[in-house]
């Protein structure tokens, strides 16, 4: 694998925790500093990945086995790394990615009970064990976050018939999201060196500067060791 000159930052959390808003605002701040930012997301990020995303998130997809679900998440990711993320990092860009393998460990490993070992093994085989330089975990209350995600999806469905239905995960039970939440916290403890956990129960205006400060700190560190 070619040398990696850029910085790989991922953002994680439960559905409806406010990740996408924070990622957009963070990208805006970094671009205002004249940094070259690639903002992307999973599942998706490439033409193939977006097709896989459609299958995974559409509530019309029924009876998908948890193992097939995990395989599709990794198929999207392997393509995303090959086509977008690794070339961007080789070109020295800052990659901001909304979800990555920690999502698979939390949702499929924890939520679907497939366990961490299977996720980590697939990550080694299919993704060259690529790890983010920094992972921001937006820690939120499962009940409140999922209620917010469901409201958002209902509003989308009501306002624009052309929008994709992305509700399949939001239909899961409270127990499922509690397992996802606990799995995230366990990963953050295990991988403390790359995690920044931010309390996302507070307003976006309070959370935003804390995320920016953590990212700036990481960029400074990278500049020193370059
Ligand atoms: P996302 O688009 O980030 O949704 P939201 O804005 O509601 O957080 O993610 C789509 C869904 O896919 C989300 O419910 C989490 C799920 N997911 C997994 O289960 N495993 C994965 O590896 C990834 C990347 C996402």
């Amino acid at each position: 694998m070619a040398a990696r000159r850029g910085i790989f930052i991922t953002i994680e959390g439960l559905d409806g925790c406010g990740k996408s808003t924070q990622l957009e605002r963070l990208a805006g701040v970094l671009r205002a500093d004249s940094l070259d930012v690639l903002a992307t997301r999973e599942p998706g990020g490439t033409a193939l990945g977006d097709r896989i995303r459609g299958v995974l998130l559409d509530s019309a997809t029924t009876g998908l086995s948890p193992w097939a679900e995990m395989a599709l998440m990794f198929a999207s990711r392997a393509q995303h790394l090959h086509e977008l993320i690794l070339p961007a990092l080789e070109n020295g860009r800052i990659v901001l990615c909304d979800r990555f393998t920690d999502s698979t460990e939390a949702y499929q490993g924890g939520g679907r009970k497939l366990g961490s070992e299977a996720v980590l093994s697939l990550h080694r085989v299919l993704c060259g064990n690529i790890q983010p330089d920094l992972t921001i975990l937006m820690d939120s209350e499962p009940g409140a976050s999922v209620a917010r995600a469901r409201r958002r999806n209902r509003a989308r469905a009501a306002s624009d018939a052309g929008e994709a239905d992305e509700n399949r995960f939001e239909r899961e039970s409270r127990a499922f999201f509690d397992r996802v939440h606990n799995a995230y916290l366990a990963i953050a403890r295990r991988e403390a060196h790359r995690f920044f956990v931010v309390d996302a129960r507070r307003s976006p205006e309070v959370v935003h500067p804390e995320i920016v400060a953590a990212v700036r700190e990481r960029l400074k560190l990278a500049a020193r060791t370059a």
Side-chain angles (χ1 to χ4, degrees):
M1 212 152 291
R4 173 161 144 190
R5 295 191 299 116
I7 302 281
F8 185 25
I9 299 173
T10 59
I11 183 155
E12 296 281 354
L14 295 170
D15 303 69
C17 70
K19 256 178 324 89
S20 314
T21 311
Q22 291 296 339
L23 187 133
E24 235 169 73
R25 292 179 69 174
L26 173 63
V29 167
L30 298 177
R31 286 185 180 127
D33 283 351
S34 304
L35 293 167
D36 186 3
V37 174
L38 169 71
T40 184
R41 70 172 179 184
E42 291 198 349
T46 64
L48 174 71
D50 283 337
R51 289 170 69 183
I52 296 172
R53 180 185 176 90
V55 172
L56 280 165
L57 303 191
D58 190 338
S59 26
T61 301
T62 54
L64 188 61
S65 101
W67 294 101
E69 180 180 278
M70 176 151 79
L72 288 171
M73 293 292 178
F74 270 109
S76 166
R77 180 164 305 129
Q79 186 65 26
H80 196 197
L81 275 167
H82 168 77
E83 202 177 311
L84 221 59
I85 297 177
L86 291 176
L89 292 175
E90 281 155 24
N91 286 325
R93 303 182 72 188
I94 297 176
V95 177
L96 298 183
C97 192
D98 189 338
R99 299 191 180 282
F100 193 62
T101 299
D102 296 319
S103 277
T104 314
E105 193 176 346
Y107 282 77
Q108 281 67 50
R112 299 276 190 236
K113 303 185 183 173
L114 301 184
S116 289
E117 206 32 60
V119 179
L120 299 178
S121 303
L122 285 172
H123 188 66
R124 277 192 293 273
V125 174
L126 300 173
C127 302
N129 209 27
I130 300 288
Q131 300 296 329
D133 296 296
L134 171 68
T135 298
I136 297 155
L137 174 59
M138 294 192 47
D139 186 31
S140 62
E141 218 52 70
S145 308
V146 177
R148 192 168 158 247
R150 286 183 184 140
R151 275 198 302 278
R152 176 194 63 194
N153 289 342
R154 269 201 303 273
R156 265 190 209 155
S159 69
D160 181 356
E163 287 238 25
D165 169 331
E166 296 200 333
N167 287 311
R168 200 172 66 86
F169 281 93
E170 277 95 3
R171 292 180 171 194
E172 290 299 330
S173 65
R174 173 62 196 263
F176 175 89
F177 286 105
D178 281 340
R179 286 196 297 277
V180 175
H181 185 225
N182 290 337
Y184 265 137
L185 296 178
I187 303 167
R189 277 193 299 273
R190 188 187 71 212
E191 309 272 314
H193 59 283
R194 71 173 163 92
F195 264 82
F196 174 69
V197 182
V198 63
D199 182 356
R201 295 166 187 83
R202 300 163 304 156
S203 82
E205 286 65 36
V206 176
V207 172
H208 171 67
E210 293 185 8
I211 290 179
V212 171
V215 169
R216 286 203 203 283
E217 198 51 46
R218 189 63 194 76
L219 294 179
K220 238 189 279 167
L221 191 72
R224 274 207 297 273
T225 54

